[in-house]
Amino acid sequence: MNIREQVLAILESESKEAFLLLFGHRLGISARFIFSEESSDGLRQARACNEMMIAIWSQVGAMKDEGVNGYPDSEFLSILLGKADAGNARSYLRDAIESALLSVGGDEV
């Protein structure tokens, strides 16, 4: 199973909320690391991490509030990839996904 398939499987499981919370947390840690590095591309990467975190927290909120619609699970990773690519932060996205999958029991990272 590839990463995309693992993410979709988690998003369709009872582990969705735990995965999203861990995933958002890992991106926050990445943003903090980016700021500490002070690289020339750091601000773009940190902004991309922030945009991804906003999308993740919106998904969590949509799970808890019946009147709020989140992104469709099948499109969520593509949306995050677009945000990551806009800020050259795909490696941070992948690291956060892999860490969250391992934490919630993803078996093939």
XYZ file of all heavy atoms in Angstrom:
833
model
N 0.851 -1.176 0.000
C 0.000 0.000 0.000
C 0.900 1.242 0.000
O 1.790 1.359 0.835
C -0.890 -0.030 1.260
C -2.023 0.954 1.217
S -3.086 1.009 2.710
C -3.767 -0.618 2.800
N 0.658 2.175 -0.919
C 1.474 3.394 -0.946
C 0.935 4.414 0.065
O -0.101 4.194 0.694
C 1.552 3.966 -2.366
C 0.218 4.469 -2.893
O -0.617 4.979 -2.159
N 0.015 4.319 -4.197
N 1.656 5.511 0.199
C 1.292 6.524 1.210
C -0.110 7.080 0.952
O -0.892 7.237 1.890
C 2.328 7.668 1.214
C 3.675 7.145 1.638
C 1.864 8.829 2.056
C 4.121 7.488 3.013
N -0.411 7.387 -0.292
C -1.737 7.938 -0.623
C -2.835 6.966 -0.180
O -3.830 7.377 0.423
C -1.832 8.209 -2.120
C -3.148 8.826 -2.545
C -3.176 9.116 -4.026
N -2.218 10.115 -4.431
C -2.452 11.428 -4.452
N -3.625 11.886 -4.078
N -1.526 12.275 -4.836
N -2.650 5.694 -0.472
C -3.642 4.685 -0.081
C -3.738 4.560 1.432
O -4.837 4.387 1.986
C -3.291 3.333 -0.704
C -3.432 3.313 -2.219
C -2.783 2.108 -2.873
O -1.928 1.447 -2.227
O -3.110 1.828 -4.034
N -2.597 4.654 2.118
C -2.611 4.573 3.580
C -3.348 5.758 4.184
O -4.138 5.597 5.125
C -1.184 4.532 4.126
C -0.466 3.224 3.865
C 0.916 3.268 4.466
O 1.054 3.359 5.674
N 1.924 3.213 3.622
N -3.094 6.953 3.646
C -3.780 8.145 4.166
C -5.278 8.015 3.944
O -6.071 8.264 4.862
C -3.213 9.431 3.521
C -4.089 10.633 3.845
C -1.782 9.678 3.980
N -5.684 7.609 2.760
C -7.111 7.464 2.484
C -7.743 6.421 3.410
O -8.830 6.642 3.946
C -7.342 7.087 1.020
C -8.792 7.114 0.560
C -9.458 8.449 0.837
C -8.878 6.776 -0.914
N -7.039 5.322 3.636
C -7.562 4.288 4.542
C -7.725 4.830 5.958
O -8.737 4.569 6.622
C -6.643 3.063 4.537
N -6.757 5.592 6.441
C -6.848 6.187 7.787
C -7.993 7.189 7.848
O -8.741 7.244 8.825
C -5.511 6.858 8.187
C -4.435 5.817 8.444
C -5.682 7.789 9.376
C -4.574 5.036 9.727
N -8.144 8.008 6.793
C -9.211 9.004 6.784
C -10.592 8.368 6.770
O -11.571 9.009 7.164
C -9.047 9.952 5.589
C -7.821 10.862 5.631
C -7.754 11.699 4.356
C -7.813 11.747 6.864
N -10.678 7.139 6.328
C -11.953 6.428 6.297
C -12.124 5.500 7.502
O -13.057 4.701 7.537
C -12.060 5.633 4.990
C -12.133 6.530 3.763
C -12.077 5.778 2.444
O -11.738 4.575 2.441
O -12.365 6.406 1.420
N -11.234 5.616 8.485
C -11.269 4.721 9.638
C -11.617 5.479 10.920
O -11.741 6.704 10.921
C -9.901 4.041 9.811
O -8.967 4.950 10.371
N -11.721 4.726 12.000
C -11.967 5.326 13.315
C -10.746 6.092 13.824
O -10.848 6.844 14.790
C -12.359 4.245 14.319
C -13.710 3.628 14.025
C -14.100 2.568 15.042
O -13.405 2.422 16.075
O -15.096 1.881 14.800
N -9.605 5.922 13.190
C -8.369 6.603 13.596
C -8.206 7.972 12.949
O -7.186 8.632 13.132
C -7.155 5.737 13.241
O -7.212 4.499 13.904
N -9.193 8.408 12.194
C -9.089 9.669 11.443
C -8.723 10.850 12.332
O -7.790 11.592 12.035
C -10.402 9.944 10.714
C -10.401 11.235 9.912
C -11.716 11.429 9.171
C -11.696 12.692 8.347
N -12.922 12.811 7.518
N -9.462 11.040 13.412
C -9.205 12.209 14.254
C -7.811 12.151 14.870
O -7.083 13.149 14.860
C -10.256 12.337 15.348
C -10.071 13.593 16.184
C -11.163 13.791 17.209
O -12.089 12.967 17.313
O -11.085 14.806 17.923
N -7.424 11.015 15.390
C -6.085 10.883 15.987
C -5.015 11.154 14.936
O -4.030 11.861 15.208
C -5.902 9.488 16.574
N -5.190 10.625 13.736
C -4.236 10.865 12.660
C -4.135 12.350 12.346
O -3.041 12.904 12.254
C -4.660 10.085 11.401
C -3.864 10.458 10.186
C -2.564 10.007 10.021
C -4.415 11.274 9.209
C -1.818 10.365 8.897
C -3.689 11.637 8.091
C -2.382 11.179 7.940
N -5.280 13.021 12.170
C -5.261 14.443 11.824
C -4.603 15.279 12.918
O -3.840 16.204 12.625
C -6.673 14.949 11.538
C -7.320 14.425 10.255
C -8.786 14.856 10.185
C -6.559 14.890 9.021
N -4.880 14.967 14.178
C -4.271 15.721 15.274
C -2.757 15.533 15.293
O -2.002 16.508 15.445
C -4.893 15.306 16.606
C -6.358 15.695 16.801
C -6.908 15.063 18.071
C -6.538 17.200 16.809
N -2.303 14.303 15.134
C -0.865 14.039 15.101
C -0.205 14.667 13.875
O 0.893 15.226 13.958
C -0.600 12.531 15.113
C -0.933 11.829 16.413
C -1.053 10.326 16.193
C 0.122 12.136 17.457
N -0.868 14.589 12.762
C -0.390 15.151 11.510
C -0.209 16.663 11.638
O 0.839 17.224 11.289
C -1.414 14.776 10.438
C -1.112 15.153 9.034
C 0.160 15.493 8.598
C -2.131 15.142 8.105
C 0.404 15.821 7.275
C -1.912 15.459 6.782
C -0.641 15.807 6.368
N -1.217 17.343 12.153
C -1.119 18.797 12.359
C -0.011 19.165 13.330
O 0.729 20.137 13.116
N 0.120 18.378 14.386
C 1.174 18.623 15.368
C 2.547 18.501 14.719
O 3.430 19.330 14.930
C 1.035 17.639 16.529
C 2.117 17.780 17.542
N 3.196 16.928 17.591
C 2.308 18.680 18.534
C 4.001 17.296 18.564
N 3.478 18.354 19.152
N 2.744 17.457 13.922
C 4.040 17.253 13.253
C 4.359 18.405 12.301
O 5.503 18.822 12.193
C 4.057 15.926 12.497
C 4.031 14.700 13.389
C 5.156 14.665 14.420
N 6.462 14.808 13.804
C 7.554 15.262 14.427
N 7.499 15.601 15.685
N 8.690 15.365 13.797
N 3.357 18.936 11.607
C 3.607 20.083 10.732
C 3.980 21.320 11.547
O 4.814 22.118 11.122
C 2.386 20.374 9.856
C 2.242 19.465 8.647
C 0.893 19.690 7.983
C 3.369 19.688 7.649
N 3.384 21.459 12.711
C 3.759 22.569 13.594
C 5.207 22.468 14.046
O 5.929 23.464 14.084
N 5.635 21.267 14.362
C 7.034 21.042 14.734
C 7.942 21.371 13.549
O 9.003 21.988 13.705
C 7.250 19.577 15.198
C 6.414 19.279 16.436
C 8.720 19.263 15.410
C 6.752 20.082 17.658
N 7.513 20.988 12.354
C 8.289 21.299 11.151
C 8.420 22.807 10.957
O 9.505 23.303 10.638
C 7.642 20.680 9.911
O 7.704 19.284 9.964
N 7.329 23.536 11.141
C 7.370 24.991 10.983
C 8.335 25.610 11.986
O 9.124 26.506 11.641
C 5.968 25.581 11.135
N 8.317 25.125 13.206
C 9.247 25.644 14.215
C 10.689 25.373 13.793
O 11.558 26.240 13.912
C 8.954 25.018 15.576
C 9.873 25.558 16.658
C 9.460 25.151 18.035
N 9.342 23.712 18.165
C 8.839 23.120 19.231
N 8.392 23.832 20.248
N 8.759 21.812 19.302
N 10.951 24.182 13.267
C 12.285 23.839 12.785
C 12.696 24.759 11.634
O 13.831 25.257 11.595
C 12.331 22.376 12.331
C 13.610 22.004 11.654
C 14.762 21.782 12.395
C 13.667 21.895 10.269
C 15.958 21.459 11.763
C 14.848 21.564 9.632
C 16.002 21.356 10.379
N 11.780 24.993 10.697
C 12.075 25.855 9.548
C 12.481 27.241 10.025
O 13.461 27.817 9.533
C 10.857 25.934 8.600
C 10.617 24.577 7.944
C 11.052 27.012 7.550
C 9.245 24.449 7.286
N 11.750 27.803 10.973
C 12.089 29.131 11.486
C 13.457 29.146 12.154
O 14.194 30.126 12.051
C 11.025 29.638 12.459
C 9.809 30.192 11.780
C 8.560 29.679 12.068
C 9.906 31.212 10.856
C 7.427 30.180 11.449
C 8.778 31.725 10.225
C 7.539 31.198 10.522
N 13.818 28.082 12.819
C 15.118 28.044 13.501
C 16.278 27.936 12.517
O 17.398 28.317 12.844
C 15.167 26.888 14.505
O 15.260 25.648 13.833
N 16.028 27.427 11.314
C 17.069 27.263 10.310
C 17.414 28.570 9.594
O 18.497 28.714 9.064
C 16.638 26.215 9.268
C 16.614 24.822 9.813
C 18.002 24.319 10.157
O 18.840 24.196 9.252
O 18.232 24.050 11.350
N 16.477 29.484 9.518
C 16.677 30.776 8.857
C 17.210 30.629 7.438
O 18.106 31.356 7.010
C 17.593 31.672 9.695
C 17.043 31.993 11.061
C 17.939 32.881 11.883
O 18.829 33.529 11.321
O 17.728 32.919 13.106
N 16.648 29.709 6.679
C 17.061 29.522 5.283
C 16.366 30.550 4.388
O 15.368 31.157 4.774
C 16.742 28.105 4.813
O 15.351 27.947 4.639
N 16.872 30.713 3.176
C 16.297 31.693 2.247
C 14.872 31.318 1.833
O 14.076 32.189 1.509
C 17.183 31.825 1.014
O 17.272 30.591 0.333
N 14.551 30.047 1.834
C 13.228 29.573 1.446
C 12.332 29.310 2.661
O 11.194 28.874 2.515
C 13.390 28.283 0.625
C 12.265 28.059 -0.360
O 11.583 29.039 -0.730
O 12.082 26.901 -0.769
N 12.857 29.587 3.842
C 12.171 29.225 5.077
C 10.806 29.841 5.263
O 9.874 29.158 5.702
N 10.656 31.111 4.944
C 9.362 31.755 5.159
C 8.290 31.127 4.268
O 7.178 30.855 4.738
C 9.453 33.260 4.896
C 8.199 34.065 5.214
C 7.749 33.860 6.656
C 8.444 35.541 4.936
N 8.601 30.850 3.011
C 7.646 30.183 2.113
C 7.285 28.802 2.638
O 6.119 28.398 2.608
C 8.242 30.040 0.707
C 8.191 31.299 -0.104
C 8.708 31.098 -1.528
N 7.972 30.051 -2.199
C 8.536 29.123 -2.977
N 9.826 29.118 -3.177
N 7.798 28.206 -3.569
N 8.280 28.064 3.115
C 8.028 26.717 3.626
C 7.179 26.761 4.894
O 6.252 25.964 5.056
C 9.347 25.994 3.888
C 10.102 25.679 2.621
C 11.487 25.137 2.903
O 12.125 25.497 3.893
N 11.957 24.269 2.025
N 7.489 27.693 5.782
C 6.716 27.812 7.026
C 5.276 28.219 6.727
O 4.340 27.708 7.351
C 7.382 28.813 7.966
N 5.095 29.120 5.771
C 3.733 29.506 5.386
C 2.973 28.308 4.827
O 1.787 28.127 5.108
C 3.764 30.626 4.351
C 4.028 31.967 4.929
C 3.954 33.030 3.870
N 4.211 34.339 4.439
C 4.756 35.331 3.787
N 5.124 35.180 2.521
N 4.958 36.483 4.374
N 3.653 27.503 4.019
C 3.007 26.314 3.458
C 2.599 25.359 4.577
O 1.490 24.802 4.555
C 3.934 25.613 2.471
N 3.472 25.161 5.553
C 3.126 24.317 6.699
C 1.924 24.883 7.433
O 1.015 24.143 7.835
C 4.319 24.161 7.645
S 5.626 23.097 7.010
N 1.894 26.201 7.597
C 0.769 26.851 8.260
C -0.525 26.638 7.472
O -1.563 26.316 8.072
C 1.051 28.345 8.427
C -0.039 29.036 9.202
O -0.287 28.717 10.356
N -0.709 29.977 8.559
N -0.483 26.791 6.167
C -1.677 26.574 5.346
C -2.163 25.132 5.446
O -3.372 24.872 5.509
C -1.401 26.949 3.886
C -1.244 28.431 3.653
C -2.478 29.226 4.028
O -3.607 28.770 3.735
O -2.325 30.304 4.631
N -1.224 24.200 5.472
C -1.610 22.793 5.621
C -2.235 22.547 6.985
O -3.226 21.819 7.107
C -0.409 21.873 5.386
C 0.043 21.843 3.937
S 1.399 20.692 3.640
C 2.817 21.623 4.233
N -1.664 23.161 8.035
C -2.233 22.993 9.380
C -3.650 23.550 9.451
O -4.532 22.936 10.054
C -1.347 23.668 10.428
C -0.078 22.909 10.714
S 0.877 23.573 12.109
C 1.338 25.175 11.510
N -3.884 24.690 8.803
C -5.233 25.266 8.790
C -6.211 24.291 8.142
O -7.321 24.073 8.652
C -5.228 26.630 8.068
C -4.498 27.668 8.926
C -6.657 27.092 7.749
C -4.195 28.974 8.210
N -5.804 23.679 7.031
C -6.675 22.702 6.363
C -6.942 21.501 7.273
O -8.074 21.008 7.354
C -6.049 22.249 5.045
N -5.913 21.056 7.975
C -6.072 19.909 8.885
C -7.011 20.265 10.035
O -7.921 19.501 10.367
C -4.702 19.441 9.402
C -3.902 18.812 8.260
C -4.858 18.462 10.561
C -2.427 18.623 8.558
N -6.798 21.420 10.658
C -7.654 21.807 11.784
C -9.091 22.011 11.311
O -10.039 21.737 12.053
C -7.139 23.057 12.484
C -5.741 22.940 13.012
C -4.780 23.913 12.991
C -5.098 21.810 13.632
N -3.612 23.445 13.545
C -3.774 22.161 13.938
C -5.514 20.511 13.942
C -2.878 21.284 14.546
C -4.623 19.628 14.526
C -3.326 20.031 14.835
N -9.261 22.477 10.069
C -10.615 22.605 9.518
C -11.275 21.243 9.366
O -12.476 21.098 9.619
C -10.566 23.315 8.161
O -10.134 24.645 8.320
N -10.502 20.245 8.968
C -11.040 18.883 8.866
C -11.474 18.365 10.228
O -12.524 17.747 10.362
C -10.000 17.922 8.269
C -9.759 18.074 6.792
C -10.964 17.781 5.957
O -11.704 18.688 5.593
N -11.179 16.537 5.628
N -10.645 18.606 11.232
C -10.987 18.168 12.590
C -12.262 18.881 13.045
O -13.171 18.253 13.595
C -9.817 18.418 13.576
C -10.253 18.148 15.011
C -8.605 17.566 13.203
N -12.337 20.180 12.789
C -13.535 20.932 13.164
C -14.778 20.412 12.469
O -15.846 20.320 13.075
N -14.642 20.061 11.202
C -15.788 19.542 10.446
C -16.278 18.210 11.006
O -17.464 17.899 10.927
C -15.409 19.393 8.975
N -15.375 17.442 11.586
C -15.774 16.169 12.191
C -16.634 16.392 13.430
O -17.454 15.549 13.785
C -14.531 15.361 12.596
C -13.725 14.851 11.435
S -12.204 14.058 11.993
C -12.857 12.685 12.945
N -16.444 17.504 14.092
C -17.103 17.752 15.368
C -18.360 18.612 15.247
O -19.163 18.648 16.158
C -16.117 18.410 16.325
C -14.930 17.504 16.615
C -14.081 18.087 17.707
C -12.958 17.174 18.078
N -13.373 15.917 18.676
N -18.503 19.322 14.130
C -19.621 20.246 13.952
C -20.433 19.815 12.741
O -19.972 19.921 11.604
C -19.083 21.665 13.754
C -20.161 22.716 13.776
O -21.354 22.370 13.716
O -19.807 23.910 13.847
N -21.649 19.364 12.980
C -22.484 18.836 11.907
C -22.773 19.852 10.813
O -22.997 19.488 9.671
C -23.798 18.298 12.479
C -23.614 17.032 13.277
C -24.936 16.482 13.750
O -25.955 16.658 13.042
O -24.947 15.877 14.824
N -22.759 21.121 11.117
C -23.074 22.146 10.127
C -21.890 22.566 9.276
O -22.022 23.417 8.405
N -20.719 21.979 9.507
C -19.511 22.376 8.792
C -19.069 21.234 7.890
O -18.973 20.093 8.320
C -18.375 22.729 9.790
C -17.096 23.071 9.053
C -18.802 23.871 10.690
N -18.795 21.562 6.644
C -18.306 20.559 5.705
C -16.800 20.706 5.543
O -16.306 21.806 5.338
C -18.966 20.725 4.333
C -20.440 20.405 4.368
O -20.858 19.505 5.087
N -21.214 21.135 3.601
N -16.097 19.612 5.616
C -14.667 19.606 5.342
C -14.432 19.206 3.898
O -15.358 19.078 3.105
N -13.174 19.022 3.574
C -12.830 18.526 2.250
C -13.226 17.052 2.154
O -13.140 16.321 3.144
C -11.322 18.625 2.017
C -10.774 20.023 2.024
C -10.002 20.480 3.083
C -11.007 20.886 0.960
C -9.476 21.760 3.094
C -10.490 22.172 0.963
C -9.720 22.605 2.025
O -9.206 23.870 2.028
N -13.589 16.588 0.973
C -13.814 15.147 0.805
C -12.510 14.392 1.079
O -11.433 14.845 0.667
C -14.222 15.010 -0.666
C -14.660 16.373 -1.090
C -13.877 17.338 -0.244
N -12.603 13.272 1.782
C -11.406 12.494 2.111
C -10.589 12.165 0.867
O -9.363 12.225 0.888
C -11.779 11.200 2.837
C -12.309 11.446 4.244
O -12.062 12.536 4.799
O -12.958 10.540 4.780
N -11.267 11.847 -0.225
C -10.570 11.446 -1.443
C -9.754 12.576 -2.069
O -8.842 12.323 -2.847
C -11.575 10.909 -2.469
O -12.509 11.919 -2.816
N -10.055 13.823 -1.722
C -9.352 14.981 -2.289
C -8.397 15.642 -1.303
O -7.608 16.516 -1.685
C -10.378 16.020 -2.763
C -11.275 15.513 -3.866
C -12.373 16.507 -4.214
O -12.207 17.718 -3.951
O -13.406 16.056 -4.733
N -8.451 15.242 -0.054
C -7.719 15.949 0.997
C -6.208 15.944 0.767
O -5.557 16.987 0.859
C -8.071 15.355 2.362
C -7.537 16.150 3.522
C -7.859 17.481 3.681
C -6.716 15.551 4.461
C -7.373 18.223 4.752
C -6.223 16.273 5.531
C -6.545 17.609 5.673
N -5.634 14.810 0.444
C -4.189 14.755 0.246
C -3.764 15.595 -0.951
O -2.743 16.296 -0.888
C -3.711 13.309 0.094
C -2.194 13.124 0.031
C -1.492 13.750 1.239
C -1.847 11.650 -0.077
N -4.529 15.595 -2.015
C -4.200 16.422 -3.182
C -4.216 17.907 -2.832
O -3.375 18.676 -3.298
C -5.180 16.144 -4.326
O -5.031 14.828 -4.789
N -5.158 18.301 -2.005
C -5.235 19.697 -1.561
C -3.988 20.050 -0.754
O -3.377 21.107 -0.959
C -6.526 19.938 -0.760
C -7.718 19.878 -1.729
C -6.489 21.242 0.019
C -9.059 19.699 -1.081
N -3.591 19.158 0.150
C -2.393 19.405 0.948
C -1.142 19.436 0.071
O -0.242 20.256 0.300
C -2.252 18.355 2.043
C -3.338 18.382 3.115
C -3.135 17.226 4.086
C -3.364 19.711 3.848
N -1.072 18.563 -0.920
C 0.076 18.562 -1.831
C 0.189 19.896 -2.572
O 1.289 20.418 -2.748
C -0.024 17.412 -2.832
C 0.322 16.042 -2.281
C -0.141 14.950 -3.249
C 1.810 15.927 -2.008
N -0.939 20.443 -2.992
C -0.931 21.750 -3.655
C -0.399 22.839 -2.744
O 0.399 23.688 -3.169
N -0.809 22.811 -1.485
C -0.333 23.803 -0.520
C 1.160 23.617 -0.251
O 1.913 24.580 -0.164
C -1.131 23.716 0.783
C -2.586 24.130 0.616
C -3.366 23.946 1.903
C -4.832 24.270 1.750
N -5.141 25.599 1.270
N 1.596 22.366 -0.147
C 3.013 22.080 0.092
C 3.858 22.531 -1.090
O 4.900 23.174 -0.918
C 3.217 20.586 0.351
N 3.409 22.218 -2.287
C 4.172 22.573 -3.481
C 4.262 24.083 -3.672
O 5.269 24.584 -4.174
C 3.574 21.908 -4.720
C 3.823 20.412 -4.749
O 4.680 19.916 -3.980
O 3.148 19.725 -5.539
N 3.230 24.812 -3.257
C 3.249 26.270 -3.375
C 4.363 26.885 -2.531
O 4.840 27.981 -2.833
C 1.893 26.847 -2.970
N 4.791 26.176 -1.489
C 5.832 26.699 -0.609
C 7.083 25.852 -0.566
O 7.888 25.984 0.352
N 7.233 24.937 -1.525
C 8.414 24.065 -1.555
C 8.562 23.303 -0.228
O 9.648 23.217 0.340
C 9.677 24.859 -1.890
C 10.847 23.964 -2.238
O 10.674 22.860 -2.738
N 12.049 24.439 -1.951
N 7.448 22.775 0.266
C 7.439 22.115 1.581
C 6.970 20.670 1.505
O 6.516 20.108 2.493
C 6.569 22.913 2.542
N 7.100 20.054 0.350
C 6.616 18.681 0.201
C 7.343 17.721 1.142
O 6.740 16.785 1.663
C 6.756 18.209 -1.235
C 6.018 16.906 -1.466
C 6.083 16.452 -2.894
N 5.038 17.067 -3.687
C 4.329 16.403 -4.577
N 4.560 15.130 -4.793
N 3.401 17.020 -5.265
N 8.627 17.938 1.365
C 9.365 17.029 2.257
C 8.814 17.098 3.687
O 8.754 16.078 4.374
C 10.859 17.337 2.245
O 11.118 18.629 2.766
N 8.393 18.281 4.122
C 7.818 18.418 5.462
C 6.449 17.741 5.527
O 6.104 17.134 6.543
C 7.716 19.891 5.859
C 9.075 20.536 5.943
C 9.520 21.411 4.959
C 9.932 20.251 7.001
C 10.774 21.977 5.028
C 11.189 20.813 7.075
C 11.608 21.674 6.082
O 12.862 22.233 6.156
N 5.691 17.838 4.446
C 4.407 17.153 4.381
C 4.612 15.649 4.478
O 3.952 14.975 5.269
C 3.680 17.509 3.081
C 2.386 16.753 2.788
C 1.342 16.993 3.866
C 1.857 17.145 1.412
N 5.533 15.125 3.719
C 5.776 13.674 3.729
C 6.234 13.208 5.121
O 5.751 12.201 5.631
C 6.809 13.291 2.682
C 7.009 11.792 2.634
C 7.942 11.364 1.514
N 8.067 9.932 1.487
C 7.358 9.120 0.719
N 6.468 9.603 -0.101
N 7.543 7.826 0.770
N 7.161 13.944 5.721
C 7.640 13.574 7.056
C 6.494 13.562 8.073
O 6.399 12.652 8.903
C 8.734 14.524 7.532
C 10.040 14.358 6.786
O 10.216 13.340 6.073
O 10.886 15.269 6.896
N 5.625 14.570 8.006
C 4.509 14.652 8.947
C 3.517 13.505 8.723
O 3.023 12.915 9.680
C 3.806 16.004 8.816
N 3.258 13.193 7.469
C 2.349 12.082 7.170
C 2.924 10.773 7.689
O 2.230 9.995 8.356
C 2.090 11.979 5.648
C 1.200 13.126 5.178
C 1.446 10.627 5.301
C 1.065 13.216 3.667
N 4.188 10.524 7.373
C 4.803 9.267 7.801
C 4.816 9.128 9.313
O 4.514 8.060 9.852
C 6.216 9.156 7.239
C 6.232 8.920 5.741
C 7.626 8.877 5.146
O 8.606 9.213 5.840
O 7.727 8.505 3.965
N 5.133 10.206 10.012
C 5.157 10.174 11.472
C 3.763 9.898 12.038
O 3.597 9.077 12.946
C 5.696 11.496 12.008
O 5.664 11.521 13.403
N 2.758 10.586 11.504
C 1.390 10.388 11.997
C 0.896 8.980 11.682
O 0.240 8.350 12.521
C 0.457 11.435 11.392
N 1.225 8.468 10.496
C 0.813 7.102 10.163
C 1.443 6.082 11.111
O 0.767 5.171 11.579
C 1.196 6.768 8.717
C 0.327 7.364 7.616
C 0.973 7.124 6.252
C -1.072 6.800 7.662
N 2.716 6.260 11.397
C 3.373 5.344 12.321
C 2.752 5.400 13.709
O 2.588 4.387 14.371
C 4.871 5.646 12.408
C 5.708 5.200 11.219
C 7.122 5.765 11.334
C 5.734 3.697 11.115
N 2.373 6.594 14.122
C 1.804 6.760 15.462
C 0.423 6.143 15.610
O 0.050 5.730 16.694
C 1.724 8.248 15.817
O 3.027 8.781 15.928
N -0.336 6.101 14.516
C -1.699 5.531 14.611
C -1.754 4.108 14.064
O -2.841 3.559 13.897
C -2.767 6.409 13.917
C -2.903 7.736 14.612
C -2.488 6.557 12.448
N -0.604 3.544 13.780
C -0.579 2.153 13.400
C -0.536 1.863 11.923
O -0.830 0.758 11.507
N -0.187 2.878 11.102
C 0.007 2.610 9.676
C 1.153 1.626 9.534
O 2.218 1.817 10.115
N 0.973 0.566 8.793
C 1.931 -0.530 8.822
C 2.959 -0.551 7.696
O 3.883 -1.342 7.735
C 1.198 -1.860 8.847
C 0.225 -2.012 7.694
O 0.075 -1.068 6.905
O -0.394 -3.085 7.606
N 2.817 0.296 6.702
C 3.727 0.173 5.562
C 4.387 1.474 5.182
O 4.628 1.746 4.008
C 2.966 -0.374 4.355
C 2.441 -1.764 4.569
C 1.743 -2.287 3.330
O 2.141 -1.904 2.220
O 0.827 -3.076 3.485
N 4.694 2.350 6.102
C 5.305 3.630 5.763
C 6.688 3.407 5.212
O 7.444 2.613 5.642
C 5.334 4.580 6.992
C 6.049 5.846 6.638
C 3.946 4.846 7.461
